Amino acid sequence: MKKKILAILLSFVFAFTMFGLTGCGGSEEAAEPAEEGGESGYGEVYDAFAGAVDMDFVKDFNQKISEFGDDEIIGMRSAASPAETETAEYVKATMEDIGLQNVTMDDATVDGWTFNGASITFKNAKGKEVTANLGGYQTTIQADNEEVELVYVGRGTEADYNGIDVKGKLVLFEINQEEDWWINYPAVQAKNKGALCAIAMREMVDMGDDTGDRIGVQDICGPADAPALAISNKDCKALKRAIKKYGDGSIEASIKVKFNADSKVTENATSHNVWGEIPGKTPETIFVFSHMDGYFHSAYDDAQGCGISMGIAKALIDSDYVPDKTIRFCFHGAEEWGREGSEYDWSVGAYEEIVNNHPDWVDGGFCIVNNDGGYTVEGAEYKGINCAPELKKFVKSSVGEMNKAGKFEWSYNPPSTGTEDFMWARKGIPAIVCADGDATNYDDRAYHSSYDSWEYTPLDEEGYQELVNTFGKLVIDLDACNVRPMNFTARIKEFENSLSEDAGDQFDETLAKAYDAADAFSAKIDEVEKSGDKDAAVELNKEIQEVYLAFEDSLVGLDFMDVNCEDRNLMYQENLECINGAIKALKKGNIQEAYDDWISGIDWAWYDMMFDEETCDYMENQLFEKRDDTWGEGMIEFPHADTRALVDSLKLKYDDENEDVSEEIEMLKTLKAEQTNYLNEIYASELEGLDKAAELMQKYAK
């Protein structure tokens, strides 16, 4: 039956009559296809690859990885844990079996986490003793059938502790990490209140079916000594009913539970990165990424990405593909987490690989194809590709027509910090990343939860094959390019669109210079590409990398709240917009509007509103003091806007009418002056960087 279905899918995906626009070059004009003909219309090389894709192998490999786990009940393949090591050994053996060469397992020094399970046993409201199994966050907590009190503290904010003594107790709260606040704030708040451990129910989207037993987690982005565990919605409700029935009716009502936990964070542990390659003829390399670690059984994130990568590798080998560039398949550990006490605690394995293990890979690094994303669950209609703006034209020309003929509606989006290619891009190797596009099926139902399995979230096999074909074609088309297919005009346009009206005309002359230089550089790229001179292409690719780095170093920054990568000026523009809105509202006497709609959007003011000063001070210090040796190092120049006094003052006046808010308006004006200075410094730096990139393009266009 599987073979019959596969044959039908192959005929559906490959039987196209339209030629693809597999363009290599930097101009805006449509490029000629790298290869035409073949049964699919995408060339005989692609047809041979597609015909060699073995989806039975891909799914078996995917399933095997999802079976590795440190906890018998819930799984977990965490950084430097036994299960992650076992997975790495399996990946290495599979690489060797399919014929990849130079297969190597590199050590990566990370903070390790091993979670061997946790539970609480209690008498429910019906009088029956029940056990709730818990998920883990990357913190240390040990308990062996200890009898402790458990108390409910709402959302886990400072206000939720009013009148409640939680010293030595378990605290139960409910949070929505996507919309409210990350787990680190209420976990540190619980520690500061003296709690033994925080137990969080992570609110997830109601899928309209029986998903109440899902347990959802995320990376902690906080200290190991602020213990936190995760509980399902179903078990959380049962505990709340038990507290209501057996408690004394007061605000600090609690129940006795038996508590077990075995969660341990270890400094300077050893994770592993595994790689193997198909050697090429030039000194350049295309990298194909996925990561081996995961929460729970994580059949999708990222065992499916591992399946896509290994499936591409096997199909290329089985189709006797001989690459021009070396194609190196990298399976990383410690992607979900690997740095204790840091805001930037993920993508650590990939960071270690390019910064400490193989900095030499930057020289000649052509491009990355990262298969971490775009998970094909039943019912998904959308998929996407995230990439550097310079690569968007190439990506759409490579797979755009193919995607149109497939089952998904595809979108093409900017890069993200959420995948492990970010640090590699900062070093000069741009990435093309598999993503969900506008799909929410996987995120809503399974992301970082106990439902990340084929049992609870069924696999779309047809969609799975489409991803293998799509990203395999991208690898083949990248290899067909002599010159990096980068369009710097797109990057300049993106930056120009980020500038506010307040930027004035200070950028006009340099922008015009940059556009002209990009046009000239694109002409040079096209010329060398069409010449077929591989030696000249290798030299030009080094120059392209230098230009790319000039843009990356001067324009790319992060924001405070969501850790998004964006043009550096945007965070300060957004702060000023919120400050101006708050001033205007307060002048009209609209305290609640100023507080809720405007001040809450200034940097970390939202957290100042919800958590005590000790908690917020810790998180600010963590951001700046614990970012060395992470991909976030140096990405934010200035301290966050200090809104504590402003927030505390307006909180007292929130419900009163006709309050004098002149003092608060002056606070906002002080913040405005500070943020304006920051923005002007950023503008000056961006202007200098843009001019440097333009000078380089002018130089190398000759």
Side-chain angles (χ1 to χ4, degrees):
M1 177 65 71
K2 290 182 180 178
K3 290 183 179 179
K4 183 177 180 181
I5 292 173
L6 179 60
I8 293 171
L9 296 181
L10 284 170
S11 64
F12 174 79
V13 176
F14 304 144
F16 307 138
T17 58
M18 188 177 295
F19 291 144
L21 296 177
T22 311
C24 297
S27 70
E28 289 287 345
E29 299 176 2
E32 292 296 321
E35 182 184 13
E36 296 183 358
E39 182 181 348
S40 68
Y42 299 116
E44 294 180 0
V45 171
Y46 171 76
D47 284 353
F49 159 80
V53 171
D54 182 350
M55 289 305 296
D56 286 337
F57 163 82
V58 169
K59 289 183 291 181
D60 287 345
F61 179 72
N62 189 157
Q63 181 64 31
K64 178 63 176 176
I65 288 179
S66 72
E67 292 171 358
F68 293 116
D70 289 305
D71 180 66
E72 184 177 347
I73 297 174
I74 67 170
M76 307 296 275
R77 302 188 303 276
S78 308
S81 71
E84 190 198 56
T85 299
E86 192 176 6
T87 305
E89 291 169 348
Y90 170 68
V91 168
K92 181 176 183 289
T94 305
M95 284 182 156
E96 292 168 342
D97 287 345
I98 68 171
L100 284 169
Q101 299 183 38
N102 303 321
V103 176
T104 303
M105 183 184 292
D106 289 331
D107 291 348
T109 300
V110 306
D111 290 325
W113 175 48
T114 300
F115 182 75
N116 288 316
S119 66
I120 50 176
T121 300
F122 61 99
K123 185 171 67 172
N124 67 15
K126 295 180 180 180
K128 180 181 178 181
E129 186 174 83
V130 296
T131 297
N133 291 309
L134 307 175
Y137 291 94
Q138 299 88 351
T139 59
T140 295
I141 180 71
Q142 300 286 318
D144 184 9
N145 212 34
E146 295 180 13
E147 186 174 79
V148 297
E149 287 186 74
L150 180 145
V151 62
Y152 179 70
V153 291
R155 310 289 284 175
T157 69
E158 178 188 18
D160 289 315
Y161 287 88
N162 288 342
I164 304 177
D165 179 12
V166 299
K167 291 180 180 178
K169 300 177 183 178
L170 300 176
V171 294
L172 174 68
F173 53 79
E174 300 168 88
I175 59 172
N176 186 321
Q177 290 189 188
E178 284 70 30
E179 296 182 8
D180 295 334
W181 41 81
W182 210 247
I183 179 64
N184 48 11
Y185 278 85
V188 172
Q189 182 72 84
K191 174 193 170 185
N192 291 337
K193 293 293 184 180
L196 172 66
C197 181
I199 299 178
M201 197 287 286
R202 173 185 158 210
E203 294 177 358
M204 300 179 70
V205 175
D206 182 1
M207 298 299 292
D209 55 11
D210 185 19
T211 56
D213 58 346
R214 284 180 302 183
I215 304 172
V217 298
Q218 290 281 15
D219 58 310
I220 190 69
C221 293
D225 64 353
L229 297 167
I231 193 169
S232 72
N233 186 25
K234 178 181 177 181
D235 288 332
C236 179
K237 287 180 177 179
L239 279 167
K240 289 167 66 178
R241 287 193 293 266
I243 292 171
K244 184 177 181 180
K245 181 170 183 177
Y246 303 119
D248 60 10
S250 71
I251 190 173
E252 57 179 333
S254 64
I255 59 171
K256 293 283 188 180
V257 302
K258 290 182 179 178
F259 178 47
N260 287 280
D262 187 359
S263 178
K264 187 175 182 180
V265 170
T266 306
E267 293 183 358
N268 299 318
T270 301
S271 180
H272 303 285
N273 298 317
V274 186
W275 58 273
E277 60 192 19
I278 306 173
K281 294 169 283 188
T282 75
E284 297 180 314
T285 303
I286 296 166
F287 297 91
V288 182
F289 278 9
S290 46
H291 68 85
M292 300 175 290
D293 62 321
Y295 294 108
F296 302 95
H297 290 289
S298 54
Y300 291 97
D301 184 12
D302 189 34
Q304 187 177 95
C306 291
I308 294 170
S309 292
M310 198 70 82
I312 291 170
K314 186 176 187 297
L316 290 173
I317 292 168
D318 290 351
S319 64
D320 297 321
Y321 182 76
V322 180
D324 192 52
K325 304 167 188 66
T326 292
I327 303 174
R328 185 171 295 138
F329 295 84
C330 300
F331 293 73
H332 294 122
E335 191 272 350
E336 300 291 5
W337 179 90
R339 284 280 188 271
E340 189 270 337
S342 175
E343 187 78 12
Y344 311 112
D345 62 3
W346 67 98
S347 297
V348 178
Y351 174 93
E352 288 294 317
E353 194 74 345
I354 196 62
V355 173
N356 294 318
N357 288 342
H358 294 289
D360 55 299
W361 283 358
V362 173
D363 187 15
F366 192 80
C367 192
I368 297 163
V369 175
N370 188 353
N371 294 310
D372 178 17
Y375 305 115
T376 55
V377 304
E378 280 189 359
E381 299 176 355
Y382 303 92
K383 285 290 165 279
I385 296 177
N386 297 346
C387 65
E390 293 93 334
L391 286 169
K392 186 175 180 180
K393 171 182 171 287
F394 163 79
V395 170
K396 295 184 75 172
S397 68
S398 173
V399 299
E401 294 300 330
M402 178 182 178
N403 291 158
K404 287 180 183 178
K407 69 171 297 178
F408 298 118
E409 183 175 333
W410 287 76
S411 59
Y412 305 91
N413 306 300
S416 162
T417 65
T419 51
E420 58 205 301
D421 47 88
F422 183 73
M423 187 66 200
W424 291 53
R426 285 187 60 196
K427 291 292 184 181
I429 311 175
I432 299 168
V433 186
C434 187
D436 261 339
D438 294 329
T440 62
N441 302 58
Y442 173 75
D443 283 352
D444 290 348
R445 183 177 180 84
Y447 177 62
H448 285 188
S449 84
S450 55
Y451 270 46
D452 190 335
S453 72
W454 292 351
E455 176 185 359
Y456 293 106
T457 307
L459 175 70
D460 177 350
E461 297 192 20
E462 180 185 347
Y464 199 172
Q465 172 135 24
E466 186 170 335
L467 291 192
V468 176
N469 295 334
T470 296
F471 289 88
K473 186 174 190 299
L474 277 165
V475 171
I476 292 169
D477 289 347
L478 283 166
D479 191 42
C481 295
N482 293 318
V483 183
R484 272 196 180 109
M486 301 188 75
N487 170 23
F488 290 106
T489 299
R491 170 60 71 98
I492 300 166
K493 285 181 179 178
E494 182 181 89
F495 172 69
E496 183 179 18
N497 290 337
S498 78
L499 298 172
S500 69
E501 293 182 0
D502 293 338
D505 58 2
Q506 60 181 307
F507 284 92
D508 290 350
E509 183 178 345
T510 304
L511 281 169
K513 175 182 176 180
Y515 279 124
D516 288 344
D519 287 344
F521 198 37
S522 290
K524 178 66 174 292
I525 290 172
D526 289 343
E527 176 188 339
V528 174
E529 179 65 44
K530 291 175 182 177
S531 75
D533 186 334
K534 294 188 182 298
D535 290 337
V538 169
E539 289 304 309
L540 181 57
N541 284 331
K542 294 177 182 178
E543 296 165 351
I544 291 172
Q545 187 175 65
E546 190 177 352
V547 173
Y548 175 68
L549 276 170
F551 281 113
E552 287 286 303
D553 290 345
S554 60
L555 303 185
V556 178
L558 302 175
D559 67 6
F560 278 113
M561 284 285 290
D562 301 317
V563 203
N564 292 322
C565 57
E566 59 186 17
D567 286 301
R568 290 162 60 209
N569 62 72
L570 284 174
M571 179 165 67
Y572 304 100
Q573 286 189 49
E574 291 160 3
N575 279 347
L576 286 167
E577 180 182 357
C578 289
I579 290 168
N580 287 330
I583 292 173
K584 185 176 181 180
L586 288 181
K587 285 182 175 180
K588 292 181 178 180
N590 298 331
I591 296 175
Q592 293 183 7
E593 177 192 341
Y595 190 88
D596 294 335
D597 297 346
W598 296 109
I599 294 173
S600 64
I602 303 171
D603 283 350
W604 281 344
W606 174 241
Y607 294 124
D608 284 336
M609 294 174 175
M610 298 297 169
F611 300 98
D612 66 23
E613 189 169 3
E614 183 181 3
T615 298
C616 292
D617 283 349
Y618 173 87
M619 298 308 300
E620 180 187 3
N621 292 335
Q622 172 184 273
L623 176 68
F624 287 96
E625 294 175 3
K626 295 295 290 287
R627 61 179 179 171
D628 292 349
D629 299 323
T630 74
W631 50 265
E633 184 174 355
M635 295 297 289
I636 296 177
E637 289 94 332
F638 306 113
H640 79 289
D642 187 357
T643 56
R644 169 61 62 176
L646 173 67
V647 164
D648 288 348
S649 180
L650 283 179
K651 191 182 294 185
L652 296 174
K653 300 177 181 180
Y654 186 86
D655 292 320
D656 295 334
E657 296 182 3
N658 302 318
E659 279 280 358
D660 180 6
V661 291
S662 57
E663 183 180 355
E664 288 79 9
I665 291 173
E666 289 304 311
M667 291 181 187
L668 284 164
K669 288 180 178 179
T670 299
L671 283 177
K672 180 177 180 178
E674 171 194 79
Q675 295 296 306
T676 300
N677 287 335
Y678 289 165
L679 179 59
N680 287 335
E681 287 189 44
I682 293 294
Y683 276 155
S685 177
E686 288 175 329
L687 186 60
E688 182 180 353
L690 183 65
D691 187 67
K692 177 183 176 181
E695 293 282 349
L696 288 172
M697 288 188 291
Q698 287 177 338
K699 174 183 175 182
Y700 294 138
K702 297 178 181 177

